[in-house]
Short mmCIF file of all heavy atoms in Angstrom, two decimals:
data_model
loop_
_atom_site.label_atom_id
_atom_site.label_comp_id
_atom_site.label_asym_id
_atom_site.label_seq_id
_atom_site.Cartn_x
_atom_site.Cartn_y
_atom_site.Cartn_z
N ASP W 1 112.64 42.35 149.09
CA ASP W 1 112.44 41.89 150.45
C ASP W 1 113.81 41.92 151.09
O ASP W 1 114.52 40.91 151.23
CB ASP W 1 111.91 40.45 150.45
CG ASP W 1 111.62 39.91 151.85
OD1 ASP W 1 111.52 40.77 152.77
OD2 ASP W 1 111.56 38.70 152.04
N VAL W 2 114.21 43.16 151.49
CA VAL W 2 115.55 43.37 152.02
C VAL W 2 115.57 43.21 153.53
O VAL W 2 114.79 43.72 154.22
CB VAL W 2 116.06 44.80 151.65
CG1 VAL W 2 117.40 45.04 152.20
CG2 VAL W 2 116.04 44.95 150.13
N LYS W 3 116.53 42.43 153.94
CA LYS W 3 116.71 42.28 155.39
C LYS W 3 118.09 42.81 155.71
O LYS W 3 119.00 42.80 154.93
CB LYS W 3 116.58 40.84 155.77
CG LYS W 3 115.21 40.25 155.56
CD LYS W 3 115.17 38.80 156.02
CE LYS W 3 113.73 38.25 155.86
NZ LYS W 3 113.26 38.27 154.48
N GLY W 4 118.22 43.25 156.88
CA GLY W 4 119.53 43.74 157.30
C GLY W 4 119.48 45.14 157.85
O GLY W 4 118.51 45.55 158.50
N ARG W 5 120.52 45.91 157.56
CA ARG W 5 120.65 47.25 158.17
C ARG W 5 119.77 48.30 157.50
O ARG W 5 119.40 49.28 158.14
CB ARG W 5 122.11 47.70 158.07
CG ARG W 5 123.05 46.76 158.83
CD ARG W 5 124.52 47.28 158.78
NE ARG W 5 125.01 47.26 157.41
CZ ARG W 5 125.40 48.35 156.74
NH1 ARG W 5 125.31 49.52 157.28
NH2 ARG W 5 125.85 48.25 155.52
N PHE W 6 119.35 48.07 156.27
CA PHE W 6 118.60 49.07 155.52
C PHE W 6 117.18 48.57 155.32
O PHE W 6 116.92 47.41 155.04
CB PHE W 6 119.25 49.34 154.16
CG PHE W 6 120.60 50.01 154.21
CD1 PHE W 6 121.22 50.31 155.40
CD2 PHE W 6 121.21 50.37 153.05
CE1 PHE W 6 122.42 50.97 155.47
CE2 PHE W 6 122.44 50.98 153.06
CZ PHE W 6 123.08 51.27 154.26
N THR W 7 116.21 49.52 155.45
CA THR W 7 114.84 49.20 155.24
C THR W 7 114.27 50.23 154.25
O THR W 7 114.45 51.42 154.45
CB THR W 7 114.01 49.21 156.54
OG1 THR W 7 114.60 48.30 157.49
CG2 THR W 7 112.58 48.86 156.32
N ILE W 8 113.55 49.77 153.23
CA ILE W 8 112.91 50.64 152.27
C ILE W 8 111.43 50.59 152.49
O ILE W 8 110.84 49.57 152.83
CB ILE W 8 113.28 50.22 150.85
CG1 ILE W 8 112.96 51.33 149.82
CG2 ILE W 8 112.65 48.88 150.45
CD1 ILE W 8 113.57 51.08 148.46
N ALA W 9 110.80 51.76 152.30
CA ALA W 9 109.34 51.86 152.45
C ALA W 9 108.81 52.93 151.50
O ALA W 9 109.51 53.93 151.24
CB ALA W 9 108.96 52.17 153.88
N ARG W 10 107.62 52.77 151.04
CA ARG W 10 107.03 53.72 150.10
C ARG W 10 105.69 54.08 150.56
O ARG W 10 104.81 53.28 150.96
CB ARG W 10 106.93 53.09 148.71
CG ARG W 10 106.37 53.95 147.63
CD ARG W 10 106.46 53.24 146.27
NE ARG W 10 105.37 53.59 145.44
CZ ARG W 10 105.16 53.01 144.23
NH1 ARG W 10 106.00 52.08 143.83
NH2 ARG W 10 104.16 53.34 143.46
N ASP W 11 105.47 55.38 150.65
CA ASP W 11 104.15 55.97 150.96
C ASP W 11 103.42 56.34 149.67
O ASP W 11 103.76 57.33 149.03
CB ASP W 11 104.33 57.24 151.85
CG ASP W 11 103.01 57.82 152.31
OD1 ASP W 11 101.97 57.60 151.66
OD2 ASP W 11 103.01 58.50 153.37
N ASN W 12 102.50 55.48 149.26
CA ASN W 12 101.87 55.66 147.99
C ASN W 12 100.91 56.90 147.97
O ASN W 12 100.68 57.46 146.90
CB ASN W 12 101.06 54.43 147.58
CG ASN W 12 101.99 53.29 147.29
OD1 ASN W 12 103.08 53.44 146.69
ND2 ASN W 12 101.64 52.07 147.68
N THR W 13 100.41 57.27 149.10
CA THR W 13 99.51 58.42 149.15
C THR W 13 100.26 59.72 148.91
O THR W 13 99.73 60.72 148.45
CB THR W 13 98.79 58.48 150.49
OG1 THR W 13 99.73 58.67 151.55
CG2 THR W 13 98.02 57.18 150.69
N LYS W 14 101.53 59.75 149.30
CA LYS W 14 102.32 60.99 149.16
C LYS W 14 103.43 60.88 148.09
O LYS W 14 104.14 61.85 147.83
CB LYS W 14 103.00 61.32 150.49
CG LYS W 14 102.04 61.59 151.63
CD LYS W 14 102.79 61.90 152.94
CE LYS W 14 101.79 62.11 154.04
NZ LYS W 14 102.49 62.39 155.33
N ASN W 15 103.51 59.72 147.46
CA ASN W 15 104.58 59.50 146.43
C ASN W 15 105.95 59.74 147.01
O ASN W 15 106.76 60.44 146.41
CB ASN W 15 104.34 60.35 145.21
CG ASN W 15 103.15 59.88 144.40
OD1 ASN W 15 102.84 58.69 144.33
ND2 ASN W 15 102.46 60.84 143.76
N ILE W 16 106.20 59.19 148.18
CA ILE W 16 107.48 59.36 148.85
C ILE W 16 108.09 57.99 149.11
O ILE W 16 107.39 57.04 149.57
CB ILE W 16 107.39 60.14 150.17
CG1 ILE W 16 106.87 61.51 149.89
CG2 ILE W 16 108.74 60.21 150.87
CD1 ILE W 16 106.66 62.32 151.18
N LEU W 17 109.34 57.86 148.82
CA LEU W 17 110.14 56.66 149.09
C LEU W 17 111.12 56.92 150.19
O LEU W 17 111.78 57.97 150.16
CB LEU W 17 110.87 56.17 147.84
CG LEU W 17 111.66 54.84 147.97
CD1 LEU W 17 110.67 53.69 148.03
CD2 LEU W 17 112.62 54.69 146.77
N TYR W 18 111.21 56.02 151.16
CA TYR W 18 112.10 56.22 152.30
C TYR W 18 113.16 55.10 152.28
O TYR W 18 112.97 54.00 151.82
CB TYR W 18 111.36 56.18 153.62
CG TYR W 18 110.29 57.22 153.78
CD1 TYR W 18 108.95 56.91 153.54
CD2 TYR W 18 110.60 58.48 154.19
CE1 TYR W 18 107.95 57.88 153.68
CE2 TYR W 18 109.62 59.44 154.31
CZ TYR W 18 108.29 59.12 154.09
OH TYR W 18 107.32 60.10 154.23
N LEU W 19 114.31 55.47 152.85
CA LEU W 19 115.36 54.53 153.08
C LEU W 19 115.86 54.70 154.50
O LEU W 19 116.50 55.75 154.75
CB LEU W 19 116.52 54.60 152.11
CG LEU W 19 117.60 53.57 152.29
CD1 LEU W 19 117.09 52.17 151.92
CD2 LEU W 19 118.86 53.87 151.40
N GLN W 20 115.51 53.78 155.36
CA GLN W 20 115.99 53.85 156.75
C GLN W 20 117.30 53.10 156.82
O GLN W 20 117.30 51.89 156.51
CB GLN W 20 114.96 53.25 157.72
CG GLN W 20 115.39 53.24 159.20
CD GLN W 20 115.53 54.59 159.76
OE1 GLN W 20 114.69 55.45 159.53
NE2 GLN W 20 116.61 54.81 160.53
N MET W 21 118.38 53.76 157.24
CA MET W 21 119.62 53.13 157.34
C MET W 21 120.11 53.10 158.77
O MET W 21 120.23 54.18 159.38
CB MET W 21 120.66 53.93 156.42
CG MET W 21 120.21 54.07 154.99
SD MET W 21 121.45 54.85 153.95
CE MET W 21 121.45 56.49 154.65
N ASN W 22 120.35 51.92 159.25
CA ASN W 22 120.79 51.75 160.67
C ASN W 22 122.20 51.14 160.67
O ASN W 22 122.62 50.55 159.71
CB ASN W 22 119.78 50.89 161.41
CG ASN W 22 118.41 51.45 161.50
OD1 ASN W 22 118.20 52.66 161.62
ND2 ASN W 22 117.41 50.61 161.37
N SER W 23 122.82 51.29 161.79
CA SER W 23 124.18 50.72 162.04
C SER W 23 125.11 51.04 160.88
O SER W 23 125.76 50.17 160.30
CB SER W 23 124.08 49.22 162.18
OG SER W 23 123.25 48.85 163.26
N LEU W 24 125.13 52.31 160.53
CA LEU W 24 125.91 52.72 159.39
C LEU W 24 127.41 52.50 159.58
O LEU W 24 127.91 52.60 160.72
CB LEU W 24 125.60 54.23 159.09
CG LEU W 24 124.27 54.44 158.37
CD1 LEU W 24 123.86 55.89 158.56
CD2 LEU W 24 124.37 54.03 156.92
N LYS W 25 128.06 52.18 158.45
CA LYS W 25 129.49 51.93 158.46
C LYS W 25 130.16 52.95 157.50
O LYS W 25 129.56 53.46 156.57
CB LYS W 25 129.72 50.46 157.94
CG LYS W 25 129.01 49.42 158.69
CD LYS W 25 129.23 48.07 158.08
CE LYS W 25 128.46 47.00 158.85
NZ LYS W 25 128.67 45.62 158.22
#
């Protein structure tokens, strides 16, 4: 349960994991 600049999500139908990274440093 990550909060902050990064968000993780998984598409189980496609077996894909995403990492959305915002406000990168």
Side-chain angles (χ1 to χ4, degrees):
D1 184 19
V2 177
K3 296 181 175 62
R5 299 182 294 118
F6 293 3
T7 303
I8 194 168
R10 179 174 149 188
D11 184 335
N12 291 322
T13 63
K14 299 179 180 178
N15 289 328
I16 298 177
L17 184 71
Y18 300 98
L19 183 68
Q20 177 67 43
M21 304 186 293
N22 299 324
S23 302
L24 283 162
K25 304 175 181 180

